[in-house]
């Protein structure tokens, strides 16, 4: 197996560090120390901590497991299963960390155009995927056809990101249960 | 008019500083400098920056204008008017800052029990108020009586907090429009 590049090690480490502590609370120094690479190597690979932040958001979004298959489930059950995977990660993390995309949006959107752009793209990519599922569920007769799937895709993602904040604050699964009850019990 | 106390000046300044820059990005030094008070006076009034953070969340929640009257509107229109006030503030701020309660929850819930507790209380207070409006709207026949007002109160607040994150990221009112469309167009 090839040795991961210094760049890869920095990105992987920063995913964990930013997720645990937040962006402002981490420095290039704390990240390179946690990664076990020389601090001087950082600027061979990244222009700035902001640049690393944008790459971290993209990496996190890609590796979320959101698009993993769920066997022969129908479209609505597949969507529910995808959110359930995310829910289980939050339970395993004892309701810490939350969603790195939402965290970075909340913390950095006003201060870093490069991170803001990447968070925006990741959110749109994600809500588009939810919209696709809703469209398929409409085609399968599982969701009423008169509902706007694009509007619902965006709204459902916002409701999820808000539920994650309350879950972090309450240190309880209850806000995620609320999400499933409303979204899959009455909204869709 | 009595001169505001040093303590008041620090809290008022910190509301603005934490809202603009985030908690980790502000120090006791930057806050006391922005407040125009001696740094040494800080610890006469607060045990720590965390303690100030909790007080800032409480102050922000109290002064949000959420409970201001809206004339003779019915309960559902009053609820919509309350969210519209919040929307207009976000528009005036050009979609910067977001909601300080949500920001502090996202950034500090894992790191500060005292801030986490205050954010939790402020969120519960707020969702209870939404629940009250929904109950009144049910009594007035504006919302179907078979919907669980407590569940909806919590869910609507989560959807709002998530919409605010996306509004900050998109620098656009569109996510707030999505919220109004779904919540007042079909959910309630």
């Amino acid at each position: 197996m090839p040795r991961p590049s210094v760049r890869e090690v920095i990105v992987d480490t920063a995913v964990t560090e930013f997720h645990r502590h937040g962006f402002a609370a981490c420095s290039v120094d704390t990240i390179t120390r946690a990664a076990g690479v020389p601090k001087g190597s950082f600027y061979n690979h990244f222009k700035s901590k902001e640049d690393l932040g944008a790459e971290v958001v993209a990496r996190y979004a890609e590796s979320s497991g959101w698009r993993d298959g769920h066997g022969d489930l129908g479209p609505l059950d597949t969507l529910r299963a995808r959110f359930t995977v995310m829910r289980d990660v939050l339970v395993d993390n004892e309701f810490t960390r939350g969603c790195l995309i939402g965290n970075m949006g909340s913390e950095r959107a006003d201060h870093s155009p490069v991170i803001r752009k990447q968070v925006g793209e990741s959110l749109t990519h994600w809500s588009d995927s939810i919209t696709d599922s809703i469209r398929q569920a409409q085609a399968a007769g599982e969701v009423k056809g008169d509902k706007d799937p694009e509007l619902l895709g965006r709204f459902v993602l916002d409701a999820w990101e808000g539920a994650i904040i309350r879950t972090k604050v309450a240190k309880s699964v209850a806000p995620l249960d609320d999400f499933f009850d409303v979204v899959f019990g009455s909204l869709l």
Side-chain angles (χ1 to χ4, degrees), chain A residues 8-22 26 31 52-53 55-61 63 97 100 103-104:
Chain A
E8 286 298 294
V9 173
I10 292 173
V11 173
D12 285 346
T13 304
V15 168
T16 306
E17 294 293 303
F18 289 157
H19 208 181
R20 270 200 191 135
H21 306 295
C26 297
I31 292 164
L52 172 62
E55 186 146 339
V56 158
V57 170
R59 172 73 56 91
Y60 177 85
S63 62
R97 305 191 193 187
L100 184 56
N103 295 352
M104 291 286 261

Side-chain angles (χ1 to χ4, degrees), chain A residues 133-148:
Chain A
S133 293
I134 294 171
R135 267 210 194 91
Q136 290 164 24
Q138 287 177 319
E142 298 173 346
V143 170
K144 278 193 195 161
D146 63 347
K147 298 185 173 185
D148 177 345

Side-chain angles (χ1 to χ4, degrees), chain A residues 1 8 28 49 87 116 123 130 132 146-147 149 168:
Chain A
M1 205 170 116
E8 286 298 294
V28 169
K49 194 176 79 159
R87 172 198 177 280
R116 181 169 89 77
L123 288 175
I130 299 170
D132 284 349
D146 63 347
K147 298 185 173 185
K168 259 177 99 167

Side-chain angles (χ1 to χ4, degrees), chain A residues 5-179:
Chain A
S5 73
V6 168
R7 183 186 173 82
E8 286 298 294
V9 173
I10 292 173
V11 173
D12 285 346
T13 304
V15 168
T16 306
E17 294 293 303
F18 289 157
H19 208 181
R20 270 200 191 135
H21 306 295
F23 183 85
C26 297
S27 64
V28 169
D29 192 45
T30 59
I31 292 164
T32 49
R33 263 191 289 140
V37 303
K39 185 174 179 185
S41 65
F42 183 88
Y43 294 99
N44 297 335
H45 298 284
F46 304 95
K47 273 191 292 186
S48 61
K49 194 176 79 159
E50 304 291 321
D51 262 15
L52 172 62
E55 186 146 339
V56 158
V57 170
R59 172 73 56 91
Y60 177 85
E62 276 162 23
S63 62
S64 69
W66 175 260
R67 285 173 191 278
D68 292 354
H70 291 280
D72 295 333
L73 294 179
L76 196 60
D77 284 339
T78 297
L79 184 62
R80 193 197 323 253
R82 287 176 168 173
F83 277 113
T84 302
V85 169
M86 306 284 113
R87 172 198 177 280
D88 292 347
V89 171
L90 287 156
V91 171
D92 286 347
N93 287 340
E94 295 177 324
F95 314 109
T96 62
R97 305 191 193 187
C99 170
L100 184 56
I101 303 171
N103 295 352
M104 291 286 261
S106 173
E107 189 186 339
R108 301 312 301 162
D110 290 351
H111 308 291
S112 168
V114 65
I115 293 177
R116 181 169 89 77
K117 181 167 177 284
Q118 185 56 60
V119 169
E121 285 173 13
S122 295
L123 288 175
T124 300
H125 201 62
W126 193 357
S127 65
D128 283 350
S129 167
I130 299 170
T131 292
D132 284 349
S133 293
I134 294 171
R135 267 210 194 91
Q136 290 164 24
Q138 287 177 319
E142 298 173 346
V143 170
K144 278 193 195 161
D146 63 347
K147 298 185 173 185
D148 177 345
E150 297 197 1
L151 171 62
L152 283 176
R154 297 188 301 264
F155 178 84
V156 165
L157 179 54
D158 292 346
W160 179 248
E161 289 292 332
I164 288 180
I165 292 179
R166 200 157 55 84
T167 275
K168 259 177 99 167
V169 170
K171 298 291 176 226
S172 147
V173 78
L176 306 182
D177 289 344
D178 288 345
F179 172 88

